[in-house]
Each structure stands twice: as C-alpha cells, then as structure tokens.
Amino acid sequence: MLQTAQRSAKSKTKKAAPPHDRFLEAFRWMLLARTLEEKLVSLYRGGLITGGVYIGKGQEAVSVACGLFLQEGDIFAPLIRDQAGRSAFGEPLIDVTRTYLGSRLGPMRGRDGNIHRGHPRNNELAMISHLGAMVSVTVGALMAKRFRGEKNFVGLACIGEGGMQTGAFHEGMNIAAVEQVPLVIVATNNHYAYSTPNDREFACHDLVDRAIGYGFEGYTVDGTDLAACLDVIGSAVKRARAGRPPQLVVASVLRLSGHGEHDDASYVPEEVKREPFARDCLKVAEQTILDLELLDAETLAEWRKEAAAQVDEAVAAAQKEPAPEGDKEDWCAYSMRDLVNSVE
Amino acid sequence: MSITYLEAIREAQAKLLRDDERVFIYGQDVGGTFGGAFKATKGLAKEFPARVLNTPISEDAIVGTAIGAAMQGMRPIVEMQFADFSSIALNQILNNAGTHYWRTNVPVPITVRLPSGGTKGSGPFHSQSMESIYAHYPGLIVMTPATVEDAYTMLIEAVAIDDPVIYCEHKYLYYHLKADKLPEKGLPTGRARIAREGRDLTIVSYSAMMQESLGAAEELAREGFEIEVVDLRTVKPLDTDTVLASVARTGRLLCVGESFPWGGATAEVIARVTNQGFHLLDAAPQRLNAKDTPIPYHPNLWSAHRPNAKKIAAKARALLRE
C-alpha cells in the first residue's frame, strides 16, 4: 500500500488506461453527490431541514452517466435519486442547498422543496411526485425542438422500477415511440418501491423485455459498475442522437438508504444486501481507481476534501439567505397576474 | 352567411395555425381527413399536416407532451375527445401544468379543449361538465363560452394566454347556435357580460345553461318579469364585480350550472355574493344544477337530470315570490 502511494506520488502518469475515458470525471461527480447527500442527511438529523431528504446512495454510477453525456440544448428529466446526474448536467450545488434549506433565493423559492426542483429554462425539468409524469413532458420538449428545426438534440428521462408500473409511464413510453423522438429512458431497478420488493411490483422476467413491446431498443447494465454505466448509457445517448429509435436502459442496483431519511429500510433482508447488485458503486469505482492506479491516494484525498469544501460553502451560503415569508409572498399562481387580478 | 358555434371553434383554430407557427393541435382523431369526433378540426390537417397530429388514446401523455412543448415555447391546443376523458389527464393538468409557474417561474401556455356537457343519449361518460373541478385547482384559467362569438374570440385569447387554459366548449351548442359573422375582438378574458338586462332578478350562468337561462327570461317576460342574465364567460377568474352590480340592481340571485350540485361554480358565486353583497339581497340566493347522480342515457331521464329553460323559469318564479 505504502509502495503504491509512493510510486503514484512520484509520478502522476497513469499506470493503466481507465476503463472508460470519462471514468475519473464521472467518479468526481459521484463523490460530490455522495458528499453533498451525506451532509444533507446530517442536517436533516440535526433538525435543520424540514420535510424530507431523499438520497441516491448506491445509484450514483447510473445517475452520473445520465447527466454526463447530455450537451447544451439537451433535455434532462431527473428524478428522486439523481443528484450525481443533476450535478453532471450542470445544476449548481447552491440550487440543491437553497431548495433543501428553503431559501427565498433558490430556484423553487421555498414554494417546493428537496428533490422537487429544476431549472426548466436550462432544460433541467422540475419533477413532480407523481411517477411517470415527466416522460411525456420530455417527449413534448423534444417535439418542440423538432418543430423548430433544431438538430442533434436528445432527451433523457430517469425512472425507477417502481415508477415503471404507473399508467403515466406506459403512456409516456408509447407516445415517445409513436413520435419517434430522440429519447433515452434510464430505469434504475433498486429493488424496492419504498418498502415493496420486486416480486410485488411486476411479474415479467426482465423489465428490459418491455422495450420491444413499445418499439424501444433495450439494454441492461450492472448499475454498480461505473464503466459499464458510462458505456451503456453513453452509447444509448449516442444512438438516440443519431436517430435510432428511443432507447431503454435498465440498470440493477440496491437502494443503499431508506426511501427517505425518515425510513430505516429495516424491511430489506440481510441476504439481499449480500447480492452482487447490492455493491456500493462508489466503493467499487474507488477500488478500480486504486487497482489501476488511475489516481494516487493523495489525489483521492484531495478530491474528497475539495468536495467537502464545495458542499460546506453551498450549505453555508444558503443558510445565510432569507427564508420566504407568508405575508410578503406573491400569492398568485398565474403568470398573467394582471388578467386575473383585474377581475378577482 | 351563418356560422355555428362548432364552425367558430374550427375557424379560430385555422386562424391560430395560420398566424402562429408555435401552434399545433394534438389529440385523438384530430388529424388526417377525419378532423375529430365532432369535426372541430376538419380540414385543418390538410392545410397544416405537420401541426395537426393524431395521438394514441393516452390522455395523460397527450397533456404531458403538450406541457413539455409549451415549456419549450410552443402553443399547443389539446383536444380531449370528450371532457369526461380529461379525468385521465387530471394529474398532468392539475399537478404539472397548474403548479408549474408557481413552482418554477416558467409558465405553461397550453390550451385544453373540453367538449363538454350533455346531449341526448350520451350517458354517464360522454356528457360531463368538468369546469368546477378545474376551477377548484390553482393556476388554471377556465373558460366557458356561451355564444358563437365568444367561442371564437375566447379560443384565440386562450392560446395567447401564458397560463394553462381549460376551454370548455359545449357540445349541445355546437350545432344549435348560429351567428351572422365572427367578431374581430371580444370582451377581455375574465369579464362577465350582461346578456339580457332586467331589474327583478339576476340569473348568473355560463355555457349552455346561459342559453337556457335566456329562454327562461323570455318565458318570464311574458309574465311581466324583467330578468337580468349574466354570462360569466370564464368561471375562473370569476367576475364578482359584475355579478354584485347586477344583484345590486335586482336584489335576487339565481345561479345555474349544468355540473353536479355539490360545490362548484354556482356555489362559489353564491358564496361570494352572500359574503360581499349580503345587504343587496332581498331573498336567499338560489341555485340550480344537475342532479347528484351520474348523467343518464335515456332522453326522458336526461332531460329530467339537467336544468333547462322551463325548470329555470320555475325556480326563478318561486324566488320572485319570496
């Protein structure tokens, strides 16, 4: 170990090629997401966050791959466990802390909280809690681009195996294929819809088999393997961009947290936690980095420190900001407030 | 020349498609040579094949798609085949479109056309009036045009509005109402209209029931009563001032709607008038709605279920005696 560290310290040249050319960049987003969410959890436990905290622990490899290959002009519809993907897509950390801490200055201004946030003007759609609803919204956004004659764009919508069982998701998949929009759907099977295991969620052999029924091209990936996620999801994005039919990627992981931080997930049996899909993708990626000597331990520690500093800065900044106030709020739900106010 | 309520809706859409490249029509059977279950889009796909598009039977996804396109700058018009089926899209309309501006500061300019209300023999699932459901939720404008002229100008206005608009067009009026020509401009959105002046009693109504109320006023005129009829035009926003001003003149209020009786637009009008204009009232305000059962199929049952001119006149007569 000491020898490895010394050797790496001497020369930062890589001993082996990374298993994917964006592996380290992706790993760094994962690290940032994990660090941020650990901080959010401790703020929640300390009573400093109202509502709930919903984290993506164990899903960072899939999520980062969702955000990383999108370019300016692409549409991203992240969901509840997509901190890594949101950051890779370009969401500033301060958006997250402002929303969780209820700053008046955040994108949601205290009107909505936690993971129910987005920047629709920057093409990061703001999810609603009703699962599956954002798939057709993404389709519509892509159609608008096509109407305007734009080229070379793609949309990516995230879902879980729980959300895949909704009517909205079914309608969204079907209409995406009917419209032949350049859409990638990344479905992360984290094996639990809140507390309900797979065997009470669906009865098909493999969720990816649904792809063909909708006219999608379907792929599976081990969601604990960062390189595989980058490869499979990156390729799906590339194919959609090139005009292939819509793409479905089904990733397998275990949710390494409760549904939210109020949930201790005691319903997950010990033997499930020993399954291969239960590996922690961040630890697996870190081990790859060390095994292949892609980074030395010192650099890794530095990255960790930097992530923590960024998170602390974003938390401290949001904590200093004013909260919304009921008597100063603009209680009009219409953008055309004059039209409504002149009558009501 | 004479133009029907339905033709006015088609003409408005033709004009919108012609004048604005951001407009597209999205719904079941609206495209091709068919032109919709009621022919409200007949011929439009021929002129605008890329912007009048048939969809699968997926009300949720139809509205979701419209929302996404609207966020990206388009002005979609969704045709629900029947208002009743918009229940499948409630989630997208209420929770996505209705909340979006408030949550994100980005408006969602969609127009959802709901062929509403009863016609003979249509039964429980092809006859509903949904305006009160949509008016209850924040963030939606709810239009209920009662005339050919309003059907035309309000649909054009709906598409221009940056917020989501639920446009309730009445199927019974499609062929029954005719006008000589279409106006350039209507009243501002949200403003109610005095459809008939009177001094003995105010009937507040909208959509097809406004026409029935005019019939009732005509009948009562023969008995010497002068009934004022207020056409709300939009149930949200609700022009309380015009209603109060009318009640100030007449002292008596009857609200008529075709939707179910529990809560809703008529109850809202009465609540507001009682609250803000209690001193103006000479008698307890009344309302008349459909019965609190599903809408029946058989014409005998259907005509007993919904208000009509005769029933409105009877209710008004009783109120005039108080």
Side-chain angles (χ1 to χ4, degrees):
Chain A
M1 195 63 206
L2 183 67
Q3 202 184 1
T4 311
Q6 278 174 344
R7 197 167 56 207
S8 303
K10 245 185 269 170
S11 151
K12 291 202 175 182
T13 53
K14 294 165 190 170
K15 293 298 277 185
H20 186 281
D21 60 357
R22 302 188 75 174
F23 189 88
L24 286 175
E25 182 190 358
F27 172 77
R28 206 162 182 182
W29 289 123
M30 291 168 67
L31 191 60
L32 183 65
R34 181 72 63 93
T35 310
L36 170 64
E37 292 192 328
E38 280 171 355
K39 182 73 179 182
L40 293 172
V41 168
S42 79
L43 289 169
Y44 175 78
R45 301 237 161 101
L48 294 169
I49 289 175
T50 312
V53 169
Y54 304 87
I55 65 172
K57 188 176 182 185
Q59 304 191 189
E60 291 96 335
V62 182
S63 180
V64 73
C66 292
L68 201 62
F69 298 98
L70 300 180
Q71 303 164 1
E72 201 176 331
D74 289 343
I75 308 286
F76 185 35
L79 225 55
I80 169 169
R81 309 195 192 281
D82 280 309
Q83 186 52 56
R86 289 177 190 254
S87 291
F89 184 69
E91 178 191 62
L93 280 189
I94 188 80
D95 272 15
V96 189
T97 55
R98 278 172 162 168
T99 307
Y100 265 108
L101 292 160
S103 161
R104 197 168 73 203
L105 309 180
M108 312 312 279
R109 300 160 293 161
R111 293 175 175 190
D112 208 341
N114 49 65
I115 37 65
H116 306 94
R117 63 175 195 272
H119 260 307
R121 288 203 200 287
N122 300 342
N123 296 341
E124 182 202 342
L125 305 186
M127 60 167 281
I128 63 168
S129 304
H130 304 64
L131 296 172
M134 299 311 289
V135 174
S136 59
V137 175
T138 311
V139 171
L142 297 171
M143 283 176 70
K145 288 176 163 291
R146 187 161 65 195
F147 275 126
R148 281 200 299 268
E150 289 181 29
K151 298 259 185 280
N152 197 37
F153 58 86
V154 61
L156 190 146
C158 298
I159 195 81
E161 92 288 356
M164 282 182 87
Q165 315 316 327
T166 63
F169 181 77
H170 159 70
E171 290 192 10
M173 283 280 278
N174 183 60
I175 213 161
V178 167
E179 297 293 0
Q180 281 296 299
V181 285
L183 176 70
V184 180
I185 291 180
V186 176
T188 306
N189 179 1
N190 67 16
H191 289 81
Y192 286 86
Y194 205 146
S195 74
T196 302
N198 275 181
D199 67 340
R200 297 299 302 170
E201 294 190 83
F202 55 88
C204 59
H205 168 67
D206 190 327
L207 289 170
V208 79
D209 293 341
R210 293 188 185 176
I212 193 169
Y214 287 106
F216 273 55
E217 293 179 350
Y219 298 85
T220 53
V221 65
D222 171 1
T224 69
D225 179 343
L226 175 59
C229 289
L230 293 171
D231 185 34
V232 173
I233 296 171
S235 302
V237 169
K238 204 180 275 180
R239 279 189 299 271
R241 209 185 287 286
R244 297 286 308 159
Q247 306 280 311
L248 173 68
V249 176
V250 179
S252 186
V253 302
L254 181 66
R255 192 188 69 206
L256 300 180
S257 64
H259 169 61
E261 285 312 297
H262 55 277
D263 168 25
D264 67 4
S266 53
Y267 44 79
V268 179
E270 284 309 312
E271 62 268 25
V272 171
K273 295 178 185 166
R274 290 191 291 270
E275 292 279 353
F277 61 75
R279 299 189 303 173
D280 179 347
C281 60
L282 189 72
K283 282 191 188 150
V284 174
E286 193 178 318
Q287 196 56 52
T288 305
I289 289 170
L290 293 173
D291 289 350
L292 298 179
E293 297 179 38
L294 304 176
L295 291 176
D296 56 49
E298 208 176 293
T299 311
L300 211 48
E302 228 169 81
W303 280 19
R304 257 183 236 293
K305 231 168 98 182
E306 265 176 53
Q310 281 180 60
V311 167
D312 287 344
E313 193 188 341
V315 169
Q319 276 177 329
K320 279 192 223 106
E321 290 175 357
E325 292 174 59
D327 56 357
K328 291 187 188 145
E329 182 60 282
D330 175 9
W331 293 106
C332 178
Y334 298 90
S335 70
M336 299 187 75
R337 53 175 46 69
D338 291 346
L339 183 156
V340 176
N341 291 340
S342 70
V343 176
E344 290 275 335
Chain B
M1 175 200 142
S2 141
I3 184 158
T4 64
Y5 183 96
L6 177 67
E7 285 161 350
I9 289 166
R10 185 160 61 226
E11 282 306 308
Q13 292 178 104
K15 178 179 163 56
L16 287 159
L17 285 163
R18 220 169 280 139
D19 292 354
D20 190 344
E21 284 194 341
R22 302 171 304 166
V23 173
F24 71 102
I25 300 177
Y26 207 51
Q28 293 156 25
D29 305 305
V30 297
T33 53
F34 190 66
F38 298 99
K39 310 296 167 211
T41 58
K42 179 96 181 153
L44 299 181
K46 195 174 174 201
E47 199 178 341
F48 307 99
R51 287 192 286 138
V52 182
L53 300 172
N54 278 342
T55 64
I57 305 174
S58 301
E59 286 82 2
D60 182 291
I62 292 167
V63 175
T65 301
I67 291 169
M71 276 180 204
Q72 287 284 321
M74 298 298 285
R75 295 273 161 166
I77 301 172
V78 167
E79 177 181 302
M80 284 289 153
Q81 197 148 75
F82 286 79
D84 313 56
F85 301 131
S86 73
S87 59
I88 305 296
L90 273 181
N91 183 47
Q92 293 286 6
I93 297 172
L94 308 178
N95 291 314
N96 229 343
T99 67
H100 201 262
Y101 173 72
W102 169 258
R103 294 168 65 233
T104 67
N105 227 16
V106 175
V108 178
I110 61 168
T111 299
V112 183
R113 287 182 36 235
L114 304 185
S116 305
T119 49
K120 262 186 271 187
S122 297
F125 311 118
H126 295 76
S127 307
Q128 292 169 27
S129 298
M130 308 275 286
E131 68 281 353
S132 294
I133 300 274
Y134 293 109
H136 178 74
Y137 274 81
L140 309 169
I141 304 270
V142 183
M143 295 183 169
T144 47
T147 66
V148 176
E149 292 83 351
D150 274 351
Y152 180 73
T153 58
M154 286 170 76
L155 184 50
I156 290 170
E157 186 73 12
V159 173
I161 289 174
D162 289 337
D163 297 297
V165 177
I166 307 301
Y167 177 93
C168 305
E169 55 197 55
H170 203 288
K171 299 196 297 287
Y172 187 80
L173 301 182
Y174 273 165
Y175 316 101
H176 284 80
L177 275 192
K178 289 190 175 84
D180 292 336
K181 59 179 175 44
L182 294 172
E184 288 283 307
K185 221 172 146 45
L187 282 176
T189 296
R191 198 66 53 80
R193 181 176 67 97
I194 306 294
R196 180 186 175 113
E197 288 185 1
R199 57 177 192 186
D200 296 327
L201 179 145
T202 298
I203 299 180
V204 173
S205 192
Y206 54 92
S207 192
M209 286 302 126
M210 204 289 293
Q211 295 294 342
E212 297 291 335
S213 299
L214 286 178
E218 196 59 45
E219 188 179 324
L220 290 163
R222 290 195 286 273
E223 298 164 27
F225 295 112
E226 293 180 29
I227 307 298
E228 182 144 300
V229 178
V230 177
D231 175 5
L232 286 177
R233 299 176 70 249
T234 66
V235 299
K236 195 173 189 183
L238 180 57
D239 185 356
T240 316
D241 287 349
T242 298
V243 173
L244 283 168
S246 176
V247 174
R249 286 190 286 276
T250 65
R252 285 178 159 76
L253 172 64
L254 170 62
C255 296
V256 185
E258 190 177 327
S259 53
F260 301 122
W262 203 99
T266 54
E268 180 70 20
V269 171
I270 289 187
R272 288 182 187 210
V273 170
T274 310
N275 186 257
Q276 296 171 46
F278 192 67
H279 60 289
L280 305 172
L281 291 162
D282 296 330
Q286 300 294 320
R287 68 196 186 104
L288 191 58
N289 280 83
K291 291 189 192 298
D292 194 16
T293 68
I295 301 158
Y297 154 74
H298 196 280
N300 293 349
L301 298 179
W302 175 72
S303 52
H305 184 269
R306 76 197 268 273
N308 57 26
K310 220 173 145 183
K311 288 188 231 176
I312 297 167
K315 189 89 177 171
R317 229 176 259 122
L319 180 53
L320 283 161
R321 279 198 294 268
E322 279 189 36

